[in-house]
Amino acid sequence: MLCISQLVELNNYIEEVESLGYTVYGISPSDPMSHSAVMDGEGLDFDLLTDVDVQFGSQLGFIDFDDEVIYRGYTAVNPETNQMVTEIDYLVGENALDVLKVLEDL
C-alpha cells in the first residue's frame, strides 16, 4: 500500500528494479478510476492494481482489521527462485536504494 509521493519517488528507480528482473505494481484499495488518474497525472511507468476487497493487503500483513490501519510497504518475489519478502515501509520510494539492496539479495 503506497501513497502518491512514494509512488512517484519509486518511479525514479523503475529501470533499476526492472534490470534485476522484477516487475513493479502498486496496489491499494482505491478504485480503478482513481488509479488511472494517478498513473496518468504522475506519469508512472508501472501499473496500479485495485484491492477493493483488501484480500491481498490483509493476506500480506498490510492491513490490520483490529486496529483499522492500512500500512504502506512492499512485497517482492524473486522471479527466478520464488523467494518472497514483505516489508512495512512508509517511505518505500525515498528508501528505494534500500529496497534495491533487498531485491539484489533476494
Side-chain angles (χ1 to χ4, degrees):
M1 306 296 169
L2 300 170
C3 76
I4 294 172
S5 63
Q6 296 306 310
L7 292 171
V8 170
E9 188 66 30
L10 184 61
N11 196 61
N12 294 327
Y13 293 90
I14 196 73
E15 289 181 18
E16 290 91 334
V17 172
E18 290 176 344
S19 73
L20 295 171
Y22 294 90
T23 303
V24 174
Y25 299 99
I27 302 173
S28 84
S30 298
D31 64 84
M33 290 185 65
S34 297
H35 283 170
S36 184
V38 169
M39 288 186 304
D40 294 343
E42 301 298 337
L44 297 181
D45 295 319
F46 55 91
D47 291 327
L48 299 179
L49 306 177
T50 298
D51 183 25
V52 288
D53 295 330
V54 297
Q55 291 177 347
F56 183 82
S58 61
Q59 186 176 30
L60 291 171
F62 292 112
I63 297 175
D64 183 329
F65 290 109
D66 294 334
D67 291 338
E68 298 180 353
V69 176
I70 297 177
Y71 300 105
R72 296 183 195 134
Y74 68 94
T75 295
V77 179
N78 183 309
E80 294 178 9
T81 66
N82 289 325
Q83 287 181 289
M84 185 172 94
V85 63
T86 296
E87 299 276 341
I88 302 298
D89 184 347
Y90 278 86
L91 300 175
V92 69
E94 292 176 38
N95 295 333
L97 294 176
D98 295 332
V99 174
L100 285 171
K101 177 72 174 128
V102 169
L103 298 180
E104 289 171 355
D105 292 344
L106 189 57

